[in-house]
Amino acid sequence: MARVSTAQAPFGAETIHAIVTGISALFDRYNRWEEQRKTREVLAQLTPDQLEDIGLTEAAVSEMFLIRG
């Protein structure tokens, strides 16, 4: 005869999982923001001619990162 497991997750396991998942998502979001910040910084230092060499314009860079002003 087959046995059917009716075991449940330990008390609070789902809550801990949700917290860890949330913290992991925050780290991922921060890392993505930091990478974009570094890219934006490097592109901002390029001259229009250098941007053109890589197929970009100042307007395209501004639009890419939603830079206003």
Side-chain angles (χ1 to χ4, degrees), residues 18-30:
I19 291 169
V20 169
T21 301
I23 291 170
S24 177
L26 285 174
F27 276 106
D28 290 344
R29 192 170 185 179
Y30 172 79

Side-chain angles (χ1 to χ4, degrees), residues 38-48 50-51 58 61:
K38 289 177 184 177
T39 301
R40 203 170 38 242
E41 188 176 284
V42 169
L43 290 174
Q45 294 175 2
L46 297 178
T47 66
Q50 290 171 322
L51 286 171
E58 290 178 2
V61 171

Side-chain angles (χ1 to χ4, degrees):
M1 184 177 285
R3 294 181 108 191
V4 177
S5 175
T6 58
Q8 294 180 335
F11 179 73
E14 290 181 21
T15 302
I16 291 170
H17 176 71
I19 291 169
V20 169
T21 301
I23 291 170
S24 177
L26 285 174
F27 276 106
D28 290 344
R29 192 170 185 179
Y30 172 79
N31 288 332
R32 190 169 43 253
W33 173 83
E34 181 68 9
E35 189 66 32
Q36 287 178 347
R37 184 191 67 76
K38 289 177 184 177
T39 301
R40 203 170 38 242
E41 188 176 284
V42 169
L43 290 174
Q45 294 175 2
L46 297 178
T47 66
D49 289 336
Q50 290 171 322
L51 286 171
E52 186 178 336
D53 286 345
I54 60 173
L56 293 173
T57 63
E58 290 178 2
V61 171
S62 293
E63 187 177 316
M64 195 182 315
F65 294 106
L66 299 173
I67 298 171
R68 305 284 182 199

